[in-house]
Amino acid sequence: MLAEIFIPHGHCYLWKPTLVGLHLASDALIALAYYSIPLMLIYFVQKRRDVPFNWIFLLFGAFIVFCGTGHLIEIWTLWHPTYWLSGFVKASTATVSLYTAGMLVPLIPKALALPSPAQLAAANQALQQEIRERIEAEQALKKSEALYRGIVEDQTELICRYLPDGSLTFVNGAYCRYFGKNRDQLLGQAFIPFVPDQNRDQISDRMNTLLALTPTRSVAIYEHQVIVNGEIRWQRWSNRAIFDEQDNIIEFQSVGLDITEHKLAEELRAKNLTLEAEKRYAESANRAKSEFLANMTHELRTPLNAILGFTQLLVREPNLTPSQHEQLSIITHSGEHLLELINDVLEMSKIEAGRTVLNPSRFDLYRLIDSLEEMLQLKARSKGLHLIFDLSPDVPQYVQTDESKLRQVLINLLGNAIKFTEAGSVTLCVSVVSTHSSVVTSASLLTQEGVEKSDNEQLTIHFEVEDTGPGIAPDELATLFNAFVQTETGRNSQEGTGLGLAISQKFVELMGGKLTINSSLGQGTTAIFDVLVTLVREADTPCQAPKKRAIALAPNQPTYRILVVEDRWENRHLLVKLLQPLGFEVLEASNGQEGVALWESWEPHLILMDMRMPVMDGYEATKRIKAHIKGQATVIIAITASVFDDKRAVVMSAGCDDFVRKPFRESVLLEKIAAHLGVQYVYEDSPQLTSLRSRASIEVQTKEALAVMPPSWISQLYLAAVCGDYEQMLTLLDQIPETQSAIKSALADLVNNFRFDLIIDLTQDFS
Ligand code: ADP
């Protein structure tokens, strides 16, 4: 059948239908395949537009389509001899294939440069690694940002950023808390509303300064005020400018601190400095005032010395009428009152100037109390009052504290009680409160009761002065210790200065205690205070004879020469008048220079030296005298109207052996002379009985001390006493060594008072 069909080149296929069929089927299948391949290529290109050089796939597609068409034309030309057509198709195929081949040439190196799948896989892996690393870095970044944000947020410092126009771009938590606002209320707003109106211009000026900051000087620190919750507070800000690449300021970052407390402290410090300066000024003014007072009182005391001194001398005149006696006693009383006032005012000014110090000494507490009893008894009796002194038996005899201050406090309190009480009694109770630290020593002391106490032990002694007087109203109690304050009763009495309690309180404080006054109107008053004392074995000054008036030197004593060096005639005269009648030899010098000259030529045993004198003062004269060996044997007692205790140290350091204050009491001066020269006096009147307590204590003390004398000597004294041999007794007393001056003066006292009975009591046990 094939043969029947025209086949122009059938002979090429040997006219065999199977061969034709083979070619035909093969061409048809090739064409089918050639057409399908471009479809897939187009599909691929469509899907993978990112594949490099994808246009070459299209070229391949076109080339394959032409090849497929060539195979279809092969089938066609089996039966249809359209060789032109097949020629054109082949020519087109050739063109496309040549073009494709041509295009492939430059493409090959590019294609070769493309990464292989292995390379791609490696690159991919590297890429994934990088991605992982980036993710990690990002996480670390986030963490660190959170950390720094946390730090910034947790700061107690206020942190903010703001633009050059002042509007805030960042604020930390502290900033929000400080101003009591949240971020939304603050961000984008200017901080200027927080600044008080009056300071805003200043802040604008500072903003201009901040805008002038440069990268090399990018920080400026300012302090200013802000208003927070209606309260003005101080802040210190450290402002850092942030620059762009062109060095223009784009923002400021500031760290602020509330410095209100610091500012207040600074203000306080400044105030304190001013106060301190004022205090120093006041202190120097106070010093000037006390110097002035010291000088003033010196001037007041000096004439008072003459008034009181000559009054004391006048009282001795035998021919005085009773009215003259009375007038002299008024002069003495007024003079003493004036002296008391001067002393009080001065004491107060010393306290105010901080110049009051404790001058502890060892003294006989029993004797102090006895002397007060003796002194005040008369006054109490004259008012019909019972003066009761109740001394607890465990109170020690010898103690160490400031005797003169304790005496002054007791005199003031007892004096007030007697002064203001019209009926009833005034009682002084003395007892021991407690024992403090004790320094163990071998020495032990006996109290009145015979209780043993060790030396150096500290005790608190309790004093109570109770009266049955008018009492003090509660509202007046509060101001009682103020200087110059008197209660109704005090004002009515028209006596006193209102200084006594103020001074007493300070003195008690100095002695380690506290003074309190308990009182109610109509019920009497009780003044209570404690004093810290140290127990000692004996007093600094030996037991003195009871105070009586010396009328002469006891017989059989050397003649003592006393030189009075004093510029004021009346005072010199007073001393001469006082000493000469007693039996002393006295010469006068009116200044230090004369004094030194007389000392050289006359060699006095003792000099009474005024310290303030023209030409040469007492300090210089004393120094000159004491610079000689001979001068060491001369006793110099300074007599000064100075009132400060520290003057005493100055006087002593100049070389003086002792110190007597003007105006002096005759007995005080004579006692001092006796203490230094060992002279004995004959006293006026029959023996004045010492109180039982003193006498008992003298007895015990004298008996103990007597044991140091040889038994034969004690027997002689006993015999002399039994025979009433006054002269022999004095001769025996002369044999008592200087080291036993206490026993000497105690015995001399008994002899001079004709208490031979007591001497017998003391000595009979030994004989
Ligand atoms: P002065 O006694 O010199 O007036 P004080 O300071 O000693 O000064 O006393 C102050 C005032 O306290 C006295 O004026 C008196 O009014 C009152 N006062 C002191 N002691 C007593 C007392 N025992 N009874 C009543 N009033 C007293």
Side-chain angles (χ1 to χ4, degrees):
M1 194 190 109
L2 269 175
E4 288 157 25
I5 304 164
F6 175 68
I7 304 174
H9 39 112
H11 61 279
C12 298
Y13 295 105
L14 306 173
W15 297 107
K16 286 184 179 171
T18 47
L19 189 59
V20 174
L22 176 65
H23 276 271
L24 191 132
S26 301
D27 280 328
L29 286 172
I30 289 170
L32 185 66
Y34 275 11
Y35 280 123
S36 61
I37 288 171
L39 283 177
M40 283 188 272
L41 282 176
I42 287 167
Y43 178 74
F44 174 75
V45 167
Q46 199 71 39
K47 286 288 170 190
R48 292 292 306 270
R49 287 180 186 276
D50 57 339
V51 171
F53 329 123
N54 53 9
W55 49 269
I56 200 80
F57 290 100
L58 294 177
L59 271 181
F60 278 142
F63 159 67
I64 293 168
V65 166
F66 276 109
C67 287
T69 308
H71 284 283
L72 283 184
I73 291 291
E74 283 293 311
I75 296 170
W76 178 260
T77 51
L78 272 181
W79 285 278
H80 305 287
T82 51
Y83 293 112
W84 281 103
L85 178 64
S86 69
F88 276 122
V89 170
K90 278 187 184 171
S92 303
T93 307
T95 310
V96 172
S97 53
L98 278 174
Y99 181 72
T100 305
M103 291 307 282
L104 268 175
V105 175
L107 204 63
I108 289 301
K110 288 186 185 170
L112 281 174
L114 285 176
S116 67
Q119 281 174 321
L120 275 178
N124 201 15
Q125 228 171 5
L127 216 59
Q128 275 179 358
Q129 177 65 22
E130 201 183 312
I131 289 168
R132 264 198 306 279
E133 281 171 5
R134 279 193 182 207
I135 289 171
E136 279 171 16
E138 208 166 281
Q139 278 171 349
L141 200 69
K142 270 190 187 157
K143 235 183 185 172
S144 116
E145 210 227 276
L147 181 79
Y148 284 110
R149 183 170 284 275
I151 291 173
V152 168
E153 285 303 310
D154 291 348
Q155 284 306 304
T156 46
E157 275 91 357
L158 319 179
I159 301 174
C160 71
R161 286 175 82 117
Y162 54 89
L163 297 175
D165 67 0
S167 55
L168 293 159
T169 56
F170 170 82
V171 286
N172 71 344
Y175 193 105
C176 296
R177 284 192 298 278
Y178 184 85
F179 287 105
K181 301 209 180 282
N182 60 37
R183 274 198 179 80
D184 294 341
Q185 291 171 302
L186 291 165
L187 294 182
Q189 305 296 317
F191 59 76
I192 204 88
F194 293 127
V195 177
D197 287 349
Q198 66 272 20
N199 293 358
R200 290 194 184 167
D201 286 349
Q202 181 197 28
I203 296 293
S204 305
D205 289 348
R206 286 194 180 160
M207 202 64 207
N208 291 335
T209 321
L210 287 181
L211 287 169
L213 290 175
T214 60
T216 48
R217 230 198 98 253
S218 60
V219 177
I221 296 174
Y222 288 128
E223 289 177 2
H224 64 83
Q225 290 179 321
V226 287
I227 304 173
V228 184
N229 297 330
E231 189 191 337
I232 296 224
R233 301 199 63 89
W234 274 96
Q235 292 182 333
R236 179 185 295 135
W237 283 99
S238 167
N239 303 281
R240 176 183 293 283
I242 314 282
F243 298 89
D244 66 6
E245 276 154 19
Q246 282 77 46
D247 289 349
N248 297 317
I249 294 176
I250 49 169
E251 223 175 350
F252 292 97
Q253 178 174 300
S254 299
V255 178
L257 207 63
D258 185 291
I259 54 164
T260 314
E261 266 69 45
H262 176 78
K263 278 273 177 193
L264 288 178
E266 236 173 40
E267 272 172 29
L268 201 69
R269 228 184 350 260
K271 233 184 238 165
N272 280 348
L273 281 179
T274 323
L275 280 180
E276 223 154 78
E278 282 172 4
K279 190 175 152 221
R280 269 200 301 278
Y281 176 77
E283 273 171 2
S284 88
N286 227 346
R287 260 197 304 280
K289 185 181 94 183
S290 58
E291 288 303 328
F292 167 77
L293 273 171
N295 286 334
M296 268 283 290
T297 44
H298 186 275
E299 295 310 314
L300 290 171
R301 289 160 84 99
T302 305
L304 209 52
N305 187 42
I307 297 171
L308 287 174
F310 281 110
T311 319
Q312 286 175 47
L313 281 181
L314 273 177
V315 172
R316 293 164 168 223
E317 291 296 321
N319 311 328
L320 290 179
T321 64
S323 82
Q324 280 170 328
H325 254 298
E326 196 180 318
Q327 285 154 9
L328 280 176
S329 109
I330 292 170
I331 296 175
T332 310
H333 183 74
S334 307
E336 281 177 352
H337 183 59
L338 188 58
L339 182 62
E340 208 173 289
L341 289 182
I342 295 170
N343 286 345
D344 273 2
V345 171
L346 195 81
E347 198 57 66
M348 204 58 221
S349 83
K350 267 165 68 185
I351 289 172
E352 279 175 4
R355 291 183 66 161
T356 307
V357 287
L358 202 67
N359 290 315
S361 64
R362 294 177 296 174
F363 65 94
D364 185 338
L365 183 60
Y366 295 176
R367 184 156 60 85
L368 168 69
I369 291 168
D370 284 345
S371 69
L372 292 178
E373 192 175 2
E374 212 170 275
M375 184 174 124
L376 298 166
Q377 198 61 261
L378 207 67
K379 198 169 176 197
R381 251 187 239 144
S382 71
K383 287 188 80 177
L385 298 173
H386 285 292
L387 182 64
I388 305 159
F389 275 37
D390 179 9
L391 187 70
S392 155
D394 56 350
V395 172
Q397 182 175 4
Y398 297 111
V399 295
Q400 179 174 311
T401 183
D402 192 321
E403 181 185 9
S404 121
K405 291 193 175 62
L406 180 59
R407 173 191 292 273
Q408 213 168 316
V409 172
L410 285 170
I411 289 179
N412 178 248
L413 298 179
L414 287 164
N416 277 351
I418 296 171
K419 183 163 69 178
F420 298 116
T421 307
E422 294 309 328
S425 61
V426 170
T427 312
L428 167 71
C429 294
V430 189
S431 58
V432 172
V433 178
S434 62
T435 307
H436 301 272
S437 63
S438 76
V439 180
V440 181
T441 64
S442 55
S444 60
L445 309 160
L446 280 181
T447 63
Q448 245 190 336
E449 217 187 10
V451 179
E452 254 186 44
K453 291 197 180 286
S454 56
D455 204 355
N456 289 337
E457 198 175 333
Q458 287 209 308
L459 285 181
T460 300
I461 300 193
H462 182 75
F463 295 85
E464 275 192 34
V465 178
E466 193 180 349
D467 66 48
T468 53
I472 300 165
D475 58 320
E476 290 188 306
L477 273 176
T479 52
L480 208 57
F481 292 111
N482 293 353
F484 300 107
V485 168
Q486 288 190 299
T487 67
E488 180 78 38
T489 329
R491 286 191 295 274
N492 291 344
S493 76
Q494 299 199 339
E495 269 188 66
T497 52
L499 282 173
L501 286 180
I503 294 171
S504 298
Q505 190 196 37
K506 290 285 176 207
F507 280 4
V508 170
E509 278 170 12
L510 268 178
M511 289 187 283
K514 191 171 182 321
L515 172 63
T516 46
I517 306 272
N518 296 337
S519 182
S520 46
L521 271 183
Q523 308 252 306
T525 304
T526 311
I528 303 168
F529 68 96
D530 288 343
V531 167
L532 192 65
V533 303
T534 307
L535 269 187
V536 290
R537 289 179 63 75
E538 58 185 4
D540 286 334
T541 45
C543 180
Q544 292 160 340
K547 286 198 182 92
K548 302 171 299 290
R549 242 188 58 208
I551 47 171
L553 285 172
N556 297 327
Q557 295 188 84
T559 312
Y560 288 105
R561 292 182 295 281
I562 297 184
L563 174 63
V564 176
V565 188
E566 158 79 72
D567 61 325
R568 296 177 81 118
W569 175 84
E570 62 274 25
N571 285 344
R572 229 169 38 231
H573 188 58
L574 170 66
L575 285 166
V576 175
K577 279 277 191 192
L578 181 75
L579 297 171
Q580 252 170 1
L582 293 175
F584 288 109
E585 266 186 33
V586 187
L587 278 191
E588 304 170 41
S590 62
N591 60 52
Q593 206 169 45
E594 278 179 24
V596 175
L598 268 176
W599 164 75
E600 265 185 40
S601 56
W602 191 53
E603 296 186 1
H605 295 94
L606 187 141
I607 302 177
L608 296 174
M609 181 81 80
D610 183 24
M611 299 316 277
R612 262 202 212 181
M613 283 179 297
V615 187
M616 183 192 287
D617 65 15
Y619 297 98
E620 183 57 34
T622 306
K623 271 188 208 151
R624 291 200 185 184
I625 293 169
K626 289 289 180 181
H628 288 72
I629 296 178
K630 193 174 79 178
Q632 298 297 327
T634 315
V635 178
I636 303 184
I637 298 180
I639 300 203
T640 162
S642 170
V643 282
F644 291 124
D645 290 335
D646 47 8
K647 258 283 163 358
R648 182 191 180 94
V650 180
V651 164
M652 300 305 265
S653 69
C656 292
D657 299 278
D658 214 327
F659 180 96
V660 172
R661 211 173 258 169
K662 272 192 238 176
F664 51 81
R665 279 181 197 279
E666 180 190 321
S667 57
V668 172
L669 181 72
L670 293 181
E671 271 167 32
K672 293 257 179 196
I673 293 176
H676 287 282
L677 296 182
V679 292
Q680 282 153 19
Y681 305 107
V682 175
Y683 295 92
E684 160 190 81
D685 302 328
S686 59
Q688 201 173 357
L689 283 184
T690 53
S691 79
L692 280 176
R693 202 164 29 240
S694 290
R695 228 176 44 213
S697 83
I698 290 170
E699 221 173 281
V700 171
Q701 201 197 27
T702 317
K703 250 187 182 164
E704 271 176 18
L706 260 183
V708 302
M709 297 306 289
S712 60
W713 181 92
I714 300 175
S715 302
Q716 285 180 53
L717 185 65
Y718 171 72
L719 280 175
V722 170
C723 305
D725 190 342
Y726 181 80
E727 299 291 317
Q728 171 65 5
M729 277 189 273
L730 288 181
T731 318
L732 284 169
L733 292 198
D734 271 348
Q735 293 168 12
I736 300 176
E738 278 309 308
T739 49
Q740 300 298 328
S741 58
I743 166 94
K744 189 172 181 174
S745 65
L747 287 174
D749 174 42
L750 294 177
V751 174
N752 288 326
N753 289 315
F754 305 101
R755 296 306 304 263
F756 302 157
D757 54 332
L758 291 179
I759 297 179
I760 292 170
D761 285 351
L762 282 171
T763 51
Q764 64 187 357
D765 292 352
F766 296 91
S767 50

